[in-house]
Amino acid sequence: AMEDVSAKFVSQKISRARWRPPPHAALQPPDVFATGSWDNEDNRISLWSAGDLGNVGLSGEYHGEPHLLCDIQHNGDVMDMQFLDQERIVVASSTGTVTIFRHHQNNQTLSANHRWEKAHHHVDQNTSCGGAACTGVVCNNPEIVTVGEDGRINLFRADQKDAVRTIDNADSSTLHAVTFLRTTEILTVNSIGQLKIWDLRQQRNEPSQIFSLAGDRVPLHCVDRHPNQQHIVATGGQDGMLSIWDIRQGTMPVSLLNAHEAEMWEVHFHPSNPDHLFTCSEDGSLWHWDASTNVSEKPSFLHQGGRSTTYLSHSTINQSVVSAWLSNDPTKDRMEITNLIPNQTLSVNSLDVLGSCLVYGTDAEAIYVNRQLFA
């Protein structure tokens, strides 16, 4: 199925790739995505058109590579990036600064719209080298939450100059990623294997719940929440394991799944088809996990490159709708896992999925678009 993938070599190591959110009720496939780069002399935020949709071959296959709409220089490595709305992108920098860039669609330019200098910083905000990397950002327009290696959580509003709220010593270790659980609650993951829930309505500067990996305290790098069942959360860590958590019960994951051979950098549930999950790794692979119920007829994935998947713990949940992610009995079900990148090379740092379209970026200085995910 590699024919469905178009590649673009960009002379930049790509740290983040994100689809622009579709206008409400849009039925057409996503057409524009943004990328951010890292570890280059001159890092950039770039906006791309996914390619010429009119350019479809006789059998429906798609031709044409992504082309650059506009780009702008970015100070520091792009650590994370999220669209705030159709025009604005929030970018987290290794310098600790958080910037909102605006895409001007009439003349295809990008400009810096607002900047919170050193939103993340070590001890003294005013020292020249005091910036601490902003590692994660999540948006729910107009609210923006950022986390950093300084263990700080900031809540910003796009229309306000100063932070609405800052939890200074939220964590004594590095916070690696953040996502919304619901409009007033966020989830963070840290470098000692903990998942924490924070209720932004509370004035207390402590998490309302703490979950943790048993034993090894493996750093967690990424987190995503199931789009429909908000108690189901997926995280990925330094050891490449995928953990599935049910935040209604216990303080440990309900499933630990052997996955990649090196750090897992991102995990994403498919936003409209959440029985499908995608993970990417430092080991150069990008996995599509299919937990939809009809997989028992499909062949076992145990032949996947000689890897097997181990389930370390299970819980049976008595409820009318049991999510596929919480009911994996390894004897009955097979979870089908497909590596979407057969010829692994360098790290796959980022992926985003929308409709039947996948975009991902790598340290091989390339971005890839797959428009036939479920073909």
Side-chain angles (χ1 to χ4, degrees):
M2 286 305 283
E3 317 71 270
D4 302 325
V5 177
S6 50
K8 177 86 178 173
F9 292 91
V10 295
S11 320
Q12 299 238 320
K13 291 183 182 175
I14 298 298
S15 55
R16 285 294 181 262
R18 299 286 182 252
W19 288 113
R20 182 172 73 186
H24 287 302
L27 294 171
Q28 67 273 37
D31 56 342
V32 172
F33 64 90
T35 59
S37 69
W38 81 287
D39 198 29
N40 309 287
E41 272 179 40
D42 176 28
N43 290 308
R44 305 195 81 76
I45 306 296
S46 308
L47 273 165
W48 307 84
S49 164
D52 178 8
L53 267 176
N55 196 356
V56 171
L58 292 174
S59 58
E61 77 279 18
Y62 159 84
H63 300 289
E65 61 176 32
H67 63 265
L68 184 67
L69 297 173
C70 49
D71 66 351
I72 192 170
Q73 199 262 335
H74 178 265
N75 208 357
D77 292 339
V78 173
M79 303 293 289
D80 200 8
M81 181 167 77
Q82 297 288 334
F83 276 89
L84 182 66
D85 54 26
Q86 291 254 291
E87 274 77 48
R88 291 177 294 175
I89 309 167
V90 184
V91 181
S93 171
S94 57
T95 64
T97 294
V98 177
T99 309
I100 303 180
F101 291 94
R102 184 179 284 276
H103 176 210
H104 306 273
Q105 298 185 29
N106 50 358
N107 61 359
Q108 292 301 347
T109 57
L110 275 164
S111 65
N113 184 236
H114 188 77
R115 195 171 268 133
W116 289 283
E117 295 284 349
K118 293 198 182 146
H120 293 272
H121 53 88
H122 295 300
V123 194
D124 177 12
Q125 199 164 357
N126 304 317
T127 56
S128 56
C129 57
C134 177
T135 50
V137 58
V138 65
C139 305
N140 185 12
N141 191 8
E143 296 193 315
I144 297 163
V145 176
T146 69
V147 297
E149 65 178 28
D150 53 359
R152 184 176 276 108
I153 298 174
N154 290 307
L155 172 61
F156 297 109
R157 284 182 71 100
D159 48 10
Q160 290 181 19
K161 190 162 110 19
D162 297 318
V164 178
R165 170 124 189 245
T166 293
I167 305 178
D168 267 326
N169 300 305
D171 211 299
S172 54
S173 61
T174 296
L175 289 168
H176 280 144
V178 59
T179 193
F180 275 101
L181 183 57
R182 40 184 79 84
T183 48
T184 56
E185 285 183 305
I186 56 167
L187 290 165
T188 59
V189 292
N190 70 12
S191 60
I192 55 169
Q194 293 172 321
L195 170 68
K196 297 182 181 180
I197 300 179
W198 305 82
D199 185 338
L200 297 173
R201 292 164 304 192
Q202 299 280 340
Q203 285 314 301
R204 292 184 319 126
N205 290 343
E206 273 90 50
S208 51
Q209 275 181 282
I210 301 179
F211 302 82
S212 60
L213 294 170
D216 295 343
R217 300 204 153 222
V218 174
L220 292 173
H221 287 300
C222 52
V223 59
D224 197 26
R225 187 209 79 205
H226 191 289
N228 316 333
Q229 295 180 283
Q230 296 181 334
H231 54 278
I232 301 173
V233 174
T235 63
Q238 183 151 322
D239 55 3
M241 295 281 274
L242 172 66
S243 304
I244 306 291
W245 312 70
D246 180 349
I247 61 170
R248 300 168 308 182
Q249 52 167 53
T251 56
M252 283 167 42
V254 290
S255 296
L256 286 168
L257 300 152
N258 277 329
H260 302 278
E261 281 157 27
E263 291 91 344
M264 185 188 295
W265 292 131
E266 291 203 318
V267 56
H268 290 291
F269 285 102
H270 191 286
S272 52
N273 201 348
D275 283 352
H276 297 264
L277 179 101
F278 297 83
T279 59
C280 63
S281 169
E282 178 72 28
D283 68 10
S285 62
L286 191 161
W287 286 16
H288 172 187
W289 304 69
D290 180 355
S292 55
T293 41
N294 61 350
V295 276
S296 41
E297 298 87 70
K298 296 183 184 173
S300 161
F301 55 79
L302 295 178
H303 57 76
Q304 266 292 150
R307 308 279 316 278
S308 68
T309 291
T310 328
Y311 295 82
L312 302 188
S313 70
H314 298 280
S315 53
T316 45
I317 289 143
N318 188 3
Q319 64 185 80
S320 51
V321 181
V322 178
S323 164
W325 294 106
L326 300 182
S327 62
N328 274 303
D329 175 346
T331 55
K332 286 210 301 279
D333 294 319
R334 302 254 190 251
M335 193 178 315
E336 189 176 51
I337 303 171
T338 313
N339 180 10
L340 298 179
I341 312 177
N343 314 318
Q344 304 179 357
T345 53
L346 297 173
S347 178
V348 183
N349 297 320
S350 183
L351 71 95
D352 197 22
V353 57
L354 192 58
S356 63
C357 300
L358 167 74
V359 61
Y360 57 96
T362 72
D363 272 354
E365 304 194 342
I367 49 180
Y368 299 85
V369 176
N370 177 343
R371 304 183 68 105
Q372 312 254 317
L373 259 189
F374 298 111

